[in-house]
Amino acid sequence: MNMPHTPSSHEQIVEQLMGRWPEHRIAPSLGRVQALCDLLGSPEKSAPVIQIAGTNGKGSTAIMIDALLRADGLRTGRFSSPHLMDVTERICIDGEPISHERFDELWADIRPYVEMVDAQQIDGVTMTFFEVITCLAYAAFADAPVDVMVIEVGLGGTWDATSVCEPQVSVVCPVDLDHTHILGDTIRDIATEKAGIIKPGTTAVLAAQHPDAAEVLTERASDVGARMVLEGRDFALLERVRAVGGQLLRLQGAEGPVGDVHLPLHGVHMAQNAALAMAAVEALLGGRALNPEVVVDGFAAVEAPARLELVRTSPPVLLDTCHNPHGARATMAAFAENFSFTPAIGVVAMMGDKDVDEVLRILGEHLTTLVCTTVSSTDRGLGVEALAERAGGIVGEDRVRTAPDVASALELAVALADEEPGGGVLVAGSVILAGEARTILKSHEPRETELDRASLRTPFDLDGDNQW
């Protein structure tokens, strides 16, 4: 029986779901999610799957894969995490998030089965939030139905809830150090966990990797008999030049180069993700090359929020989700290549379990002032004073300011950037920060907020909302 939709019911449903075991904690077992999928009739098997793992690049690569598939005439279901502004962003059909009403209907449909699995206490744990939302996505895609499922791993690989599927294509983006308290202290340890998405019968499409990660991933593919498609050998970014609103690419595909590809995202890392995405789609097609017109149309339609996304002008405000050293280096290289803010004001908040000092060092190399703040939607965030103290020790106390919350930090940063004609703001350091900032910056009309009075005068919503 479907739950009637009322103005408060959706919010109540989301609050109840997010009250479960949180997704930043791992309950390493596929037992619960497999049990629920079995009760639901195995929706994870309802369409071919491209599954994407890696430390950085998963989200944008998944978005690009989705866009290419749709340009080729296929109906897609894409599951991603975390969300920026709304939980429905995690479940997209044909490139669009499902509605609140559809989300609520799906939950009403599967809730009795979730409660049955909860009652079993498999491995002593009820279903986690991420496990439930993963099964909700599989159910949505089966019901649509879709032609292809594009599934972004939440954390790791082997024990991630998404790995209840049997992918036709397993994509591994660059592997680096992150979530070390969960996945291991070395790149080899982390790669071993992520290699778990490479299964018998799949095609493993592998981005260029650190040697330790490359060894682990290729050994895994060989052990399970997976065909390998490797960056540098089988696909590549051949050329790129800056262009208005992004960059122009020439990519090596299954049957030769494809040129004049406009990607409305910034940075060499995004260009490399584009090559990876094209290789993944061609692998799903059995090694057949995509029509060059499909490639051009698909990449031109890419929208990737909070990947150096320009959300306001006068002064310009950019959002990015970088939150570990590998991602921060890529973001700041792209920032330096494409933007010349003077002064460049950073709004920074970080989770306490990240490599805070190294990310601050990387940001500090390019930003004039760091406005340190904290997020309100989780207790994992580092406190304002603790973050400011660490930032001061790295970039100097004279370059650090503080603000008690994200809204205040944005107001202060805008005021600082407005002191000179060429000033601008970059919001970075956390996916959660990017989400909170995006909600503030995009959900209010001009002249109605303190931010607008602090010179955020003109909404600038790009057609191509620009994480790695």
Side-chain angles (χ1 to χ4, degrees), residues 269 308 320-322 326-336 426 428 468:
H269 61 299
L308 284 179
D320 199 87
T321 57
C322 67
H326 187 244
R329 289 187 198 100
T331 290
M332 298 315 293
F335 174 79
L426 172 64
W468 184 39

Side-chain angles (χ1 to χ4, degrees), residues 372-443:
C372 294
T373 188
T374 192
V375 295
S376 62
S377 53
T378 179
D379 58 5
R380 296 170 53 219
L382 201 62
V384 175
E385 296 305 323
L387 181 62
E389 182 178 355
R390 292 169 76 165
I394 294 167
V395 304
E397 293 181 2
D398 59 324
R399 293 173 55 196
V400 176
R401 302 286 293 273
T402 62
D405 52 52
V406 176
S408 301
L410 291 168
E411 184 178 353
L412 174 58
V414 164
L416 292 172
D418 247 355
E419 290 179 355
E420 296 183 35
V425 177
L426 172 64
V427 180
S430 163
V431 177
I432 298 172
L433 169 66
E436 290 191 10
R438 197 170 194 269
T439 300
I440 293 166
L441 292 165
K442 293 181 79 73
S443 63

Side-chain angles (χ1 to χ4, degrees), residues 287-301:
R288 172 177 67 82
L290 282 166
N291 185 308
E293 291 183 3
V294 169
V295 175
V296 170
D297 291 346
F299 282 123

Side-chain angles (χ1 to χ4, degrees), residues 232-277:
R233 185 190 76 180
D234 303 304
F235 68 94
L237 167 65
L238 299 176
E239 295 178 65
R240 73 178 190 100
V241 294
R242 289 172 57 195
V244 175
Q247 50 194 319
L248 200 63
L249 311 180
R250 185 166 175 263
L251 305 173
Q252 177 67 41
E255 297 177 7
V258 180
D260 295 325
V261 177
H262 183 262
L263 180 69
L265 300 174
H266 300 292
V268 64
H269 61 299
M270 287 298 182
Q272 290 167 332
N273 291 346
L276 181 65

Side-chain angles (χ1 to χ4, degrees), residues 179-398:
H179 302 290
T180 53
H181 60 297
I182 296 172
L183 302 178
D185 294 328
T186 68
I187 288 177
R188 181 176 293 276
D189 289 340
I190 294 171
T192 299
E193 174 64 22
K194 296 182 186 297
I197 73 164
I198 303 173
K199 299 177 181 179
T202 192
T203 297
V205 181
L206 306 180
Q209 301 286 348
H210 183 282
D212 288 349
E215 182 179 350
V216 169
L217 295 170
T218 55
E219 283 181 1
R220 168 68 179 181
S222 297
D223 288 346
V224 301
R227 184 172 76 91
M228 283 184 276
V229 177
L230 305 178
E231 184 174 2
R233 185 190 76 180
D234 303 304
F235 68 94
L237 167 65
L238 299 176
E239 295 178 65
R240 73 178 190 100
V241 294
R242 289 172 57 195
V244 175
Q247 50 194 319
L248 200 63
L249 311 180
R250 185 166 175 263
L251 305 173
Q252 177 67 41
E255 297 177 7
V258 180
D260 295 325
V261 177
H262 183 262
L263 180 69
L265 300 174
H266 300 292
V268 64
H269 61 299
M270 287 298 182
Q272 290 167 332
N273 291 346
L276 181 65
M278 189 171 81
V281 174
E282 292 182 336
L284 182 72
L285 300 177
R288 172 177 67 82
L290 282 166
N291 185 308
E293 291 183 3
V294 169
V295 175
V296 170
D297 291 346
F299 282 123
V302 164
E303 298 182 6
R307 278 75 165 180
L308 284 179
E309 178 189 13
L310 182 63
V311 290
R312 288 290 190 274
T313 59
S314 187
V317 178
L318 299 168
L319 303 181
D320 199 87
T321 57
C322 67
H323 56 276
N324 57 48
H326 187 244
R329 289 187 198 100
T331 290
M332 298 315 293
F335 174 79
E337 181 181 71
N338 292 278
F339 303 95
S340 54
F341 297 164
T342 306
I345 310 300
V347 173
V348 184
M350 295 195 67
M351 300 301 102
D353 57 1
K354 301 299 179 181
D355 188 348
V356 174
D357 290 352
E358 183 62 13
V359 171
L360 289 172
R361 186 190 66 75
I362 294 165
L363 296 178
E365 290 175 353
H366 300 273
L367 300 174
T368 312
T369 300
L370 301 181
V371 179
C372 294
T373 188
T374 192
V375 295
S376 62
S377 53
T378 179
D379 58 5
R380 296 170 53 219
L382 201 62
V384 175
E385 296 305 323
L387 181 62
E389 182 178 355
R390 292 169 76 165
I394 294 167
V395 304
E397 293 181 2
D398 59 324

